Amino acid sequence: MRALSHFVAIALALVCGRALAAEDDAPNNKPVKVVADARLSVGGQGLLPLYLSSDWSMPLPTISRAIIVLHGRLRNADEYYISAHAAQVAAGDDGKSALMIVPQFLAEVDIEAHKLPADTLRWSLMGWEGGEAALAPNPVSSFEALDAVLAKLSDRRVFPNLKQVVVAGHSGGGQVAQRYAIAGKGEAALLRQHIDVRYVVANPSSYAYFTKERPVPAIAASCAGSNNWKYGMDGRPPYFAEVTPTALEQRYIERDVIYLLGTLDTKPAADKSCMGEAQGPNRYARGHAYADAMAKRNHGTPNHRVWDVAGVGHDGDKMLTSKCGLAALFDSPGCGAER
């Protein structure tokens, strides 16, 4: 398993930050440069590649927090692992008892380019972002793969002192984190072991709404797909199609969710579809509009918090290593000035 020194992690994070900031505008049909080195069996139906900061094949009694960082649409888990490690270093003592995990949702083009074994899970280029089934070797939902990660973390033989799991993502990964916070079933195994779960949704281009109402009604009215999953509740994947929107919303508002929004992330969002444009002009506006809409519909959402990160645009490293980013991931102090 690859181990990165603190010095290398910080140096590479400077390059990584620029790459993560620009990824929404880059093509995602090219094979990934690097495939993660660890593997997790997902219900015996396929193997999920992932990066781990510690070997979880043996007991890890010093780990009290596990942080899952979700990559964006380029599937570049290697760069996200560097970014996650940089945040862990920036957290100081708060990060020393954390396990950093970066799953990798590959596509067929990656399997072919790297000649990966047939049992490696692979999805369509964007289907994994919304919980769709894998193309091979079996129709495993990407959300089911995340469930498997959470199930592993619930094993008290390996994690006797684990207290909290954080599911976090920036940009495209933020989209996955928000949708998984709605649909994910993996939290239950952790709660049974008295392990808290938090979802950190940082600067995504869009959100999943529970009704057909949108911040820009005129665009929504003329957009035939504005309520299709992953923007709304119509046509949900089989993984959670049988759960009603009402039940999904109730479960979502009960979950611990932090919307982490860069105050300078105000350029036109990468998602320029009518479904995205119906949610607002930019990521910052879309995040606040969504949180406001949820609070109004439910007479307040006490388990949901909106934290502004002052002076930061669409930059994954700066978001995650900001005071509010470190507070969201590690419960580090000092976020008050940035809210």
Side-chain angles (χ1 to χ4, degrees):
M1 183 176 300
R2 185 174 63 181
L4 294 174
S5 71
H6 288 186
F7 175 80
V8 173
I10 294 173
L12 290 179
L14 298 176
V15 177
C16 176
R18 289 191 290 272
L20 299 188
E23 74 168 280
D24 270 359
D25 300 318
N28 64 336
N29 58 356
K30 297 179 181 179
V32 297
K33 296 178 180 178
V34 184
V35 176
D37 51 7
R39 297 290 183 272
L40 175 67
S41 175
V42 180
Q45 300 185 76
L47 296 180
L48 177 73
L50 70 171
Y51 286 103
L52 302 167
S53 61
S54 297
D55 182 0
W56 65 5
S57 66
M58 59 186 69
L60 294 171
T62 63
I63 297 298
S64 61
R65 183 188 308 270
I67 299 175
I68 302 166
V69 178
L70 301 168
H71 62 69
R73 69 191 191 99
L74 293 185
R75 308 180 303 281
N76 49 343
D78 57 323
E79 294 178 352
Y80 274 83
Y81 181 61
I82 294 169
S83 185
H85 194 90
Q88 184 180 22
V89 172
D93 289 343
D94 294 325
K96 291 180 179 178
S97 59
L99 170 68
M100 309 304 291
I101 306 165
V102 182
Q104 190 170 32
F105 299 96
L106 297 175
E108 191 67 51
V109 64
D110 307 316
I111 306 299
E112 297 172 355
H114 293 275
K115 297 179 173 56
L116 297 175
D119 59 358
T120 306
L121 288 165
R122 78 291 303 261
W123 286 265
S124 65
L125 288 173
M126 298 184 69
W128 58 272
E129 293 182 350
E132 292 183 9
L135 300 177
N138 291 292
V140 178
S141 166
S142 55
F143 289 170
E144 196 174 347
L146 287 175
D147 290 346
V149 177
L150 269 58
K152 175 70 176 182
L153 294 171
S154 71
D155 186 347
R156 285 300 191 187
R157 295 169 298 178
V158 181
F159 299 100
N161 297 307
L162 189 65
K163 295 180 174 61
Q164 185 178 55
V165 171
V166 179
V167 181
H170 176 263
S171 191
Q175 292 190 49
V176 181
Q178 197 264 333
R179 273 72 173 190
Y180 186 73
I182 290 174
K185 304 172 186 177
E187 181 175 302
L190 293 166
L191 295 182
R192 286 194 293 269
Q193 297 296 330
H194 307 289
I195 299 169
D196 295 331
V197 183
R198 174 182 296 162
Y199 304 88
V200 178
V201 179
N203 291 343
S205 285
S206 67
Y207 299 79
Y209 277 76
F210 294 96
T211 72
K212 294 182 179 180
E213 297 178 1
R214 295 292 184 273
V216 189
I219 296 179
S222 62
C223 179
S226 64
N227 202 50
N228 290 345
W229 182 259
K230 57 186 179 171
Y231 302 90
M233 292 292 116
D234 294 344
R236 300 186 303 282
Y239 172 86
F240 65 114
E242 295 182 358
V243 186
T244 67
T246 299
L248 289 169
E249 183 173 14
Q250 184 59 40
R251 184 167 66 188
Y252 182 59
I253 64 175
E254 291 173 355
R255 289 179 166 173
D256 180 7
V257 179
I258 296 176
Y259 304 100
L260 203 62
L261 305 174
T263 61
L264 297 185
D265 200 350
T266 55
K267 294 181 180 179
D271 187 343
K272 296 178 176 61
S273 67
C274 65
M275 294 85 78
E277 293 293 338
Q279 298 191 14
N282 55 62
R283 296 180 184 89
Y284 183 70
R286 292 178 187 183
H288 275 282
Y290 183 79
D292 290 346
M294 288 298 299
K296 290 177 182 177
R297 275 185 52 75
N298 296 284
H299 307 289
T301 47
N303 293 328
H304 292 195
R305 290 165 284 177
V306 183
W307 292 356
D308 281 357
V309 180
V312 176
H314 200 65
D315 188 308
D317 282 283
K318 289 183 179 179
M319 290 293 294
L320 295 181
T321 59
S322 68
K323 289 181 180 179
C324 279
L326 298 179
L329 299 180
F330 301 96
D331 285 316
S332 299
C335 177
E338 292 185 79
R339 296 191 192 188

